[in-house]
Amino acid sequence: MNKSIYGKLVCLLLLCSLFYTNRCNAQEDRRYFYTNKPYGSEALFNPLSLLINGGYDVCQLQSVSNKITGHPYYQMLHNVLGNLGDPFPRIRRYGTKKFFTTELLPLGFTQDKAFWIPNYQQHLIGCGMLYTAMKEWYEENNVPAPWLFSSITIMSQHLLNEVMETGPYEGWSVDEISDIYVFDLGGILLFSNDCVNEFFHDKLSLADWSNQASISLPSGRINAGQFFSIKVRLPYTEKYSFFYRYGMGALFGLSKKVNTEDSFSAGLGFKTKHLVDLNDKFRERTIETGWYAGAFYDRNNSLLASVTLSGVKEYFCSFDVYPGVIKFDNFSPGIWGIIGSNGNLTFGFTTHYLIGLGITNY
């Protein structure tokens, strides 16, 4: 999709949210993004699944190993903390004006200027929504100070995400500075306002449709991916909505209500293949993409089943059936599979008790 149109869509969503928050009447003690549903993607939502899906999200890229072992974690953490610990000299070296116009403000739409798009989508909106959902999860499980534990969980996930994204690269970067200090913390503050939660829940049907977090044997490969869905009802109809799913890639399409609870959605778009370095003096990257298509079935915005096809060889065909569809008395597992066009196969199952387990031939 043309990056200019893609970026302007993000800006439009943000402007709508600002307009709505001035007119909302949010209810106290209302649950927005986690209501303890025993089925679908929400049934697998917990601190560990969040940490894996978000922290290892970048492992979907061809250029990043999706094994949980073998990464130079200490070196990568040292790189990230070095940039976070001394941000202002790095911003000045990068260029203060460039930092504001490419990382912070939605002003550029070309490949080398639109670094702000994932910052707003994944870090501001995604982080904020998950902060509320995680806070509601802790409330449901009677954990004291749920806002504090949610903040710790969310920031730990994003720190791991930055560690995995930096790789073994030794040097300075401003990417984690904008992600952590501006957009992640900003998302938590933004979604601490119930008017914002109400807008994204009621008007955009924002939901977490992440993968079924699992570790596969014998290689220790991770099935992880953090994805969000948005559905905006179209004018003059009660059944059809504009559908948008984003994460490591984006899908655009339509959603149709099948009944009062269930919806079917389908879309076309692009999936991120790998990161492309733009500068040999410091870490500045854009993305290379391939085609992407998917179909999804959800109940009350909790994803029940999906199938996606893509031009990324490791993810030619992926399918997920979440808990609540297949039942054996009171036991309902989830199943998932990934079929690569290169012959790689991975299959697994999940329950809401523990992390999922898979088996792979590579």
Side-chain angles (χ1 to χ4, degrees):
M1 183 180 187
N2 185 286
K3 202 134 192 179
S4 176
I5 299 175
Y6 183 42
K8 290 173 183 176
L9 174 63
V10 177
C11 293
L12 179 61
L13 293 177
L14 291 170
L15 289 173
C16 289
S17 68
L18 291 173
F19 176 80
Y20 180 82
T21 52
N22 291 325
R23 302 168 179 270
C24 84
N25 295 299
Q27 303 174 16
E28 292 186 6
D29 301 322
R30 179 188 173 189
R31 296 283 178 85
Y32 295 98
F33 303 113
Y34 181 81
T35 56
N36 198 24
K37 295 182 181 70
Y39 55 82
S41 52
E42 191 171 311
L44 298 177
F45 183 79
N46 59 61
L48 183 58
S49 69
L50 174 70
L51 188 68
I52 292 177
N53 273 323
Y56 288 94
D57 181 59
V58 73
C59 292
Q60 297 175 79
L61 300 179
Q62 292 179 333
S63 54
V64 180
S65 170
N66 63 356
K67 292 184 178 181
I68 196 169
T69 59
H71 298 280
Y73 285 102
Y74 177 80
Q75 178 183 343
M76 295 190 298
L77 179 61
H78 182 268
N79 293 339
V80 171
L81 293 182
N83 289 319
L84 291 175
D86 195 18
F88 296 111
R90 285 158 173 78
I91 293 174
R92 286 194 295 269
R93 186 175 177 185
Y94 181 75
T96 303
K97 180 180 178 180
K98 184 178 179 181
F99 179 73
F100 274 87
T101 57
T102 63
E103 292 279 347
L104 301 187
L105 301 177
L107 299 178
F109 298 95
T110 58
Q111 199 82 331
D112 60 338
K113 294 181 180 179
F115 305 129
W116 57 269
I117 293 179
N119 292 346
Y120 280 90
Q121 287 196 136
Q122 278 90 331
H123 291 276
L124 185 70
I125 297 174
C127 173
M129 174 266 182
L130 290 173
Y131 163 75
T132 297
M134 198 75 262
K135 179 166 67 72
E136 292 168 342
W137 187 93
Y138 282 120
E139 289 172 347
E140 180 70 28
N141 289 275
N142 300 313
V143 176
W147 67 271
L148 176 60
F149 279 92
S150 177
S151 298
I152 293 172
T153 304
I154 292 296
M155 295 308 293
S156 298
Q157 176 244 290
H158 279 283
L159 179 60
L160 177 58
N161 176 267
E162 297 298 331
V163 167
M164 296 305 302
E165 188 174 306
T166 192
Y169 173 84
E170 293 186 12
W172 61 273
S173 166
V174 298
D175 180 63
E176 51 264 65
I177 295 170
S178 59
D179 289 351
I180 296 289
Y181 288 146
V182 179
F183 292 98
D184 290 335
L185 291 176
I188 291 175
L189 291 174
L190 182 65
F191 279 76
S192 295
N193 184 327
D194 279 343
C195 287
V196 175
N197 288 311
E198 184 180 271
F199 170 77
F200 280 96
H201 178 273
D202 294 354
K203 300 300 180 181
L204 299 187
S205 298
L206 179 64
D208 174 27
W209 281 8
S210 293
N211 287 350
Q212 300 185 70
S214 306
I215 298 177
S216 298
L217 301 176
S219 57
R221 297 185 184 278
I222 297 176
N223 178 59
Q226 197 169 73
F227 293 95
F228 302 92
S229 69
I230 285 176
K231 288 183 281 188
V232 182
R233 188 168 61 85
L234 295 175
Y236 313 112
T237 177
E238 294 294 327
K239 287 187 176 182
Y240 291 93
S241 299
F242 165 75
F243 172 68
Y244 176 45
R245 178 182 182 259
Y246 71 91
M248 199 62 71
L251 290 171
F252 305 84
L254 287 175
S255 179
K256 179 184 179 182
K257 290 189 71 66
V258 179
N259 52 48
T260 57
E261 292 189 320
D262 299 352
S263 297
F264 174 80
S265 307
L268 297 172
F270 63 87
K271 185 171 180 62
T272 308
K273 284 185 175 183
H274 52 76
L275 298 171
V276 179
D277 290 318
L278 296 176
N279 199 309
D280 58 1
K281 296 180 180 179
F282 52 87
R283 178 158 50 86
E284 185 180 36
R285 296 167 174 166
T286 185
I287 59 173
E288 182 177 319
T289 62
W291 62 270
Y292 201 21
F296 309 86
Y297 197 88
D298 72 271
R299 177 166 298 154
N300 296 316
N301 244 8
S302 185
L303 184 60
L304 291 177
S306 68
V307 59
T308 61
L309 301 171
S310 82
V312 181
K313 63 181 180 180
E314 293 88 346
Y315 294 92
F316 171 69
C317 178
S318 301
F319 68 86
D320 285 272
V321 178
Y322 288 80
V325 178
I326 301 171
K327 297 181 180 180
F328 303 96
D329 293 328
N330 294 325
F331 177 64
S332 182
I335 60 172
W336 59 270
I338 302 171
I339 302 170
S341 59
N342 54 2
N344 292 341
L345 302 173
T346 310
F347 299 96
F349 73 95
T350 57
T351 73
H352 70 275
Y353 303 106
L354 296 170
I355 196 71
L357 185 66
I359 185 168
T360 182
N361 69 345
Y362 72 107

